[in-house]
Each structure stands twice: as structure tokens, then as C-alpha cells.
Amino acid sequence: MVANALERRNNTWVLRTEVASDLIVQVGKFSFHLHKLPMVSRSGYINRLVFQKQGVEDKTDPPLVIHLNNLPGGAKAFETVVRFCYGLKFDLTASNIAPSYCAAHFLEMTEDFHESNLLSETEVFLSFVILSSWKDTFLILKSCESLSPWAVELRILKRCSDSICQKACNSPEGFIFGNEIKRQADNWWFEDVSSLRIDHFIEVLGGLKRRGMKAKLVGSCIADWTEKWLSRVTLLDNVTLQKLTYQLQRITIESLIRLLPPEENSVSCNFLLKLLRLGIVMETDPELTNQLDLRIGSMLDRCHVTDLLVKNFGDNEVDTTYDVGVVVRAVESYVSSVSWNPRPKIHAIGRLVDGYLAFIAREKNLRIETFCSLLMSLPKSVHTCDDNLYRAIDMYLKAHPHLTEEERVSICRALDHNKLTKEAREHVMKNDRLPMSMTTRLILLEQVNMMRSMTGTGSNFLRTKTQAVIRSSARKGSGEQLVDSQKEIRMMKEEVDIVKLQLSQLQMCRMELQVKMRRGVR
């Protein structure tokens, strides 16, 4: 059977021969007008279909029609099959070898039907490409995305994965560039591996872990793949996503969590927080998110503020730049996990949270409930000094000037007046952004301390002053109460300044007397 060419006319493929077609093969929406002899002599599958059809149909019928709806690789792969069967020119490449190999398996094009059949030829070429070329192996994997489950059953995915793992784990220390030997970076294989689809990526990373690839490199590759994947998809609320898309994204996130190497410091805390954020948004398996909680908690004492910065998705104007809720969850999880153990590192967590609070305090869209949740996430005992905490609270009050008195009071409950340094207390007494009750109490405490310095007493003075302010406030209406309280505070501040001046003068006199006494002794 001699054919001059295979021509396509819209969705129909026709062979230019001197013999009329007696076989039509329908592959999806494409039809191939062929001949029985060259096809049945090379394909066991088509052989059976043809003879089954001939057994029940009249031989005088028009060309026999058979359907290959499940052919892996579709019409494109079948075109290669037809060219092979008719002896026409065809090219096997890294992009079409996997579909051609799967199609040859499906059609049973073995040596039993024809010597040097398509299956053996594609097998030789596939093995050569996988073993010899790094880049072409990834082209093969790319073509396998439309061949599931054939690529898995015929072990194409496994063979490609093994080849990639072997080259990545046993790569030479350097490569020749011109006349010089350049050292390869440990992560030279990241870019190509990170381009794989999730199921192929899992296969390759699993192989790398089994071959002993460094856990830190494996973790960095997972983070690199995740960053690239996030740049290609949009994660929205599951109500607005198509059900299938949502399920695929959720499965992807769960697969990434399971793929994480267990070794300590193999992945950064920042990446784990991003994964946790994704897991919460996509409602992943609670057991997996709990594992992330525990792992993040074990790393918090070694983190910096930048490690806690996890950007929110989308461009919603009501959202903050960074997701604060996921940090609150991580801190609360840490506190609950160590509450029954000695906590030598919890002071480091306190400094970390204070720094994070100061970083996010200027966010205009940061809700007071979220800010307070983070303020209260740690017990007060973690702070030996509240100056940094006060600084963060003051920054939030400055960025949110429209808070009510009650809201400002709720924020300042986290502060312990006794843990403020002298400089911080002086700043508090001049700070009009703080709630009046806090300012009043600190001024009273300052007066008490100075009275004690001068007379050795002060508790009665504090009680008297406090009761006077309370009685004055109770006798007035709300408008008058605010004005009178402000006047009272100003008067108290003036008293503090007068007493400070007196104390300063007394100290000067004391120093002069001491100098004179030393001279008299001499």
C-alpha cells in the first residue's frame, strides 16, 4: 500500500493513494480515511475491532467505521501512528514521544504483528531522551499532563522522575563555561523542577528525599514552587470559586503540607505561615493545619518581624496589607503548647510580638479587635519592660484618631504601668492620645513617688487625690465631667512639675552640703 501524502481537510485526514479508502477511524472530532491492510497488520487493537465489525456487517457496505475515543494523545498521536503504518515521514521529539508511546501501547503495536513496530521504536527513543537530556525530560513530563493515567501506568512519570533525581543529586561540582570551570549553585535544578504540575512535582520531590537530597534544599524548592503557583492562580472565597477548581486548589495545598521535610529549619517560618494562611482560606484538613500550628510555634523564638509578614490576597480595600489573624493564631497556639512547661524563651516571643505590633500599628484598616487579640495573645508576665508595647499602642492610637474612649481603654489594658521606664512615664503624662483614666492614674502615681521621696509617705495622698477626682466627676454631667477632668489633670501635671523642681533644688542643696562637709573634714 503506497501513499504519497497524508493531507488534512478541516477535521478530515485523507491519504493520497491509488486505492479507495475502506476504513474510517474516528478519533474525537477528527476522521481518518484509511485502508484496513496497513492498519490491521500493525495494530492488534484495530485488528480485533475490524474483524469484529466485519463479522456482523455486510461486506458490501461502505468503508468500515471504527471509533478510538479513548486513544491517549488523541488525533495528534494517531497521525504519527498512521504515518508510521504507511511508511510516511514522521518525527519523534521530546514533546510527542510520550503520546506516541502511549498510543502504540493502546493500539498493541508490538513485534508480534510487525517487525520493528512502533512500540519498540518509541521505547528506544524514549529511553534515549530520558537518559541523555535534562531539558527534554521536562518536555516529556509536560506532554504527560494530558496522558493520565497512561503516563503513570506505563511508568513514564517514574522514569522521568528517577532521571531528574539522579542528575540533581549527582550533579558535578562545576561546569565548563568557555575556558573556565564555574561552580554550580546547589539549587541549579529549582527553576525546572518548579515548573512541574503538582502531581509530577510530588513524584520528583519524593524521589529526591529518598535519594538523600538535603532537607533544606527540598524545603526551599517547595517554597519556590509554591510562590510560582500562587502567581498563576487566584485564591478567592470558596463560595465564589467553581467547585472543581476549589477542590484542586485545596488538594494542592494539602499535598504541599504533606510534602514538607520534617527536619528542623528545612523551611522558613514565613513560608509555613503562608501555607497556614492558604490552608485556612481553602479549609484544608484540620489535622494538617494543626501540624503547621505546632511547627510554627516551635520556631517563633528564633524569628524576626519580617518572618511574620504574610501578605493578604487580592486588592480588597478593606483588608490590611498583611494577614494579622494568622500571626495571632500562631502565637496563641505557641502559648497553649508551652503553658505547662518552663518558658525560658517566651521573653523572646514577647519582643517579637512587640516589634510586629509596632510594624502593623500604622495600618489604617487594622481593626481594633484584631489588634487587641494580638495584644492579649501573650500573658503579661512575658514582659519585663512595657516600653516597646507602649510604643506600639501609641502608634496605633495615632494612626486611628477616631477611636472612642472605651476602645482606647480596651487597648491600654495590656499595659502594666509599673513596667514603664521613667522616660516612658514622662511621655505618657504628656500624651493626649491615651485614655484619660490611664493618664490620671500615672500622674497620681508620679505624685505619690515624689511625695515618698520628700516625706516618706504618699499612700494617703494618692487615695485622697483619687477620691477627689471621682467625686468631682460624679457631681458633673458628661460634658462638664470631661472639661473638669481635663482641668484636674492639667493642675495635677503642674503640681508634678512644681514638686519635680523642688526635688531638684533639694538635691542640689544636698550635694552642696556634702561638698562642704568633705572640705571641713579635710
Side-chain angles (χ1 to χ4, degrees):
M1 184 65 63
V2 178
N4 296 323
L6 178 64
E7 298 176 345
R8 178 180 174 180
R9 302 167 186 171
N10 295 324
N11 291 340
T12 302
W13 291 85
V14 179
L15 281 160
R16 282 197 297 158
T17 64
E18 297 178 358
V19 181
S21 171
D22 60 356
L23 176 66
I24 297 176
V25 179
Q26 193 73 31
V27 184
K29 64 180 181 179
F30 296 93
S31 59
F32 292 79
H33 292 249
L34 310 172
H35 304 86
K36 295 176 186 175
L37 182 59
M39 302 306 296
V40 299
S41 64
R42 288 169 174 79
S43 169
Y45 186 80
I46 293 178
N47 188 306
R48 286 198 306 277
L49 288 181
V50 167
F51 283 100
Q52 286 172 4
K53 287 271 187 179
Q54 285 182 339
V56 296
E57 296 181 9
D58 192 338
K59 294 183 180 180
T60 61
D61 284 346
L64 191 67
V65 179
I66 62 175
H67 295 268
L68 299 177
N69 295 326
N70 298 323
L71 180 72
K76 191 69 177 175
F78 192 67
E79 180 191 349
T80 301
V81 171
V82 172
R83 290 182 179 278
F84 173 82
C85 292
Y86 282 86
L88 296 172
K89 181 182 178 182
F90 68 97
D91 293 323
L92 289 177
T93 66
S95 298
N96 70 13
I97 183 58
S100 301
Y101 181 70
C102 293
H105 260 284
F106 180 88
L107 296 173
E108 301 171 20
M109 301 179 71
T110 64
E111 302 286 326
D112 297 336
F113 287 88
H114 194 279
E115 187 178 357
S116 298
N117 211 343
L118 184 60
L119 184 57
S120 59
E121 291 205 11
T122 52
E123 168 64 39
V124 171
F125 187 81
L126 180 65
S127 299
F128 170 75
V129 172
I130 290 175
L131 290 174
S132 64
S133 175
W134 170 269
K135 288 289 185 183
D136 285 347
T137 303
F138 286 90
L139 291 177
I140 294 173
L141 282 176
K142 185 67 178 176
S143 69
C144 288
E145 291 180 359
S146 60
L147 297 175
S148 299
W150 284 92
V152 176
E153 293 176 359
L154 297 179
R155 296 178 62 79
I156 301 175
L157 179 58
K158 179 70 166 58
R159 291 164 68 181
C160 289
S161 172
D162 288 345
S163 176
I164 291 170
C165 294
Q166 183 180 18
K167 291 180 175 68
C169 292
N170 302 318
S171 59
E173 293 184 357
F175 63 98
I176 298 176
F177 184 80
N179 295 324
E180 300 180 13
I181 296 180
K182 302 286 187 180
R183 287 191 61 81
Q184 292 188 133
D186 288 340
N187 61 354
W188 64 270
W189 46 274
F190 275 22
E191 182 177 357
D192 293 315
V193 172
S194 297
S195 67
L196 297 174
R197 197 175 68 177
I198 182 63
D199 51 340
H200 298 169
F201 180 72
I202 291 172
E203 180 74 23
V204 171
L205 263 288
L208 289 171
K209 290 166 72 175
R210 288 190 296 272
R211 286 176 177 265
M213 177 63 75
K214 294 177 182 177
K216 195 167 185 63
L217 282 176
V218 173
S220 298
C221 187
I222 295 172
D224 190 61
W225 187 95
T226 306
E227 290 291 341
K228 291 181 178 179
W229 174 69
L230 282 175
S231 68
R232 298 192 297 266
V233 300
T234 302
L235 292 174
L236 302 173
D237 188 276
N238 60 343
V239 176
T240 62
L241 284 172
Q242 293 183 0
K243 186 175 181 181
L244 179 60
T245 304
Y246 173 72
Q247 289 177 343
L248 287 174
Q249 291 179 348
R250 178 170 54 80
I251 292 170
T252 297
I253 296 165
E254 291 180 345
S255 300
L256 290 171
I257 297 173
R258 292 190 179 97
L259 195 60
L260 292 173
E263 288 81 0
E264 188 177 358
N265 295 328
S266 57
V267 287
S268 68
C269 183
N270 183 260
F271 175 63
L272 291 177
L273 283 168
K274 289 178 181 177
L275 268 189
L276 180 59
R277 160 88 166 122
L278 292 171
I280 295 170
V281 171
M282 303 307 295
E283 300 177 345
T284 54
D285 184 349
E287 184 177 344
L288 293 175
T289 52
N290 289 338
Q291 289 177 11
L292 287 180
D293 284 334
L294 293 174
R295 187 161 182 172
I296 293 168
S298 68
M299 302 172 67
L300 277 181
D301 60 288
R302 300 185 300 277
C303 287
H304 302 284
V305 172
T306 52
D307 297 321
L308 304 183
L309 303 181
V310 179
K311 283 197 171 183
N312 269 319
F313 304 121
D315 300 317
N316 194 336
E317 293 184 357
V318 301
D319 285 338
T320 55
T321 305
Y322 300 99
D323 188 335
V324 182
V326 72
V327 177
V328 174
R329 173 175 173 141
V331 175
E332 289 177 344
S333 175
Y334 172 82
V335 172
S336 64
S337 66
V338 301
S339 59
W340 47 273
N341 282 331
R343 294 175 285 174
K345 300 178 181 178
I346 201 165
H347 296 300
I349 307 293
R351 291 190 294 271
L352 175 69
V353 173
D354 288 350
Y356 181 75
L357 282 166
F359 187 91
I360 63 170
R362 294 188 181 93
E363 287 272 3
K364 297 293 184 183
N365 296 328
L366 182 58
R367 296 168 61 233
I368 185 172
E369 295 83 3
T370 306
F371 189 75
C372 285
S373 295
L374 190 53
L375 278 174
M376 303 300 180
S377 60
L378 289 174
K380 290 186 176 182
S381 58
V382 305
H383 293 100
T384 55
C385 176
D386 275 4
D387 281 19
N388 290 331
L389 190 61
Y390 166 65
R391 175 171 168 266
I393 289 174
D394 187 44
M395 292 169 66
Y396 184 81
L397 294 175
K398 186 176 182 179
H400 301 81
H402 303 299
L403 295 177
T404 65
E405 181 76 4
E406 291 76 12
E407 289 172 333
R408 287 183 290 160
V409 168
S410 65
I411 291 176
C412 291
R413 285 198 185 102
L415 283 174
D416 187 340
H417 309 146
N418 298 316
K419 292 183 180 180
L420 294 174
T421 61
K422 179 181 178 182
E423 293 76 11
R425 289 198 301 270
E426 289 178 354
H427 189 277
V428 167
M429 289 188 292
K430 300 174 183 177
N431 193 343
D432 296 332
R433 292 183 289 271
L434 295 174
M436 192 177 302
S437 58
M438 179 180 178
T439 308
T440 304
R441 178 155 183 81
L442 271 181
I443 292 174
L444 292 174
L445 286 173
E446 192 71 14
Q447 287 181 325
V448 169
N449 291 334
M450 287 187 293
M451 289 293 292
R452 284 175 177 165
S453 299
M454 296 176 67
T455 65
T457 62
S459 58
N460 292 332
F461 174 82
L462 172 61
R463 192 179 302 112
T464 304
K465 277 287 186 182
T466 305
Q467 291 173 353
V469 173
I470 294 173
R471 284 197 300 270
S472 174
S473 299
R475 288 196 301 268
K476 309 291 184 181
S478 58
E480 293 180 73
Q481 176 183 341
L482 180 61
V483 174
D484 286 353
S485 297
Q486 290 174 342
K487 288 180 179 178
E488 186 76 23
I489 290 173
R490 282 197 298 272
M491 292 172 61
M492 292 164 63
K493 287 181 179 179
E494 291 173 0
E495 291 178 10
V496 170
D497 292 337
I498 292 170
V499 175
K500 280 184 178 179
L501 180 60
Q502 292 174 348
L503 278 174
S504 178
Q505 292 173 346
L506 286 173
Q507 288 174 351
M508 290 294 295
C509 292
R510 182 184 176 187
M511 291 173 64
E512 289 176 1
L513 287 172
Q514 288 176 342
V515 171
K516 290 179 180 179
M517 289 176 65
R518 289 196 203 98
R519 289 175 180 172
V521 171
R522 290 177 185 173

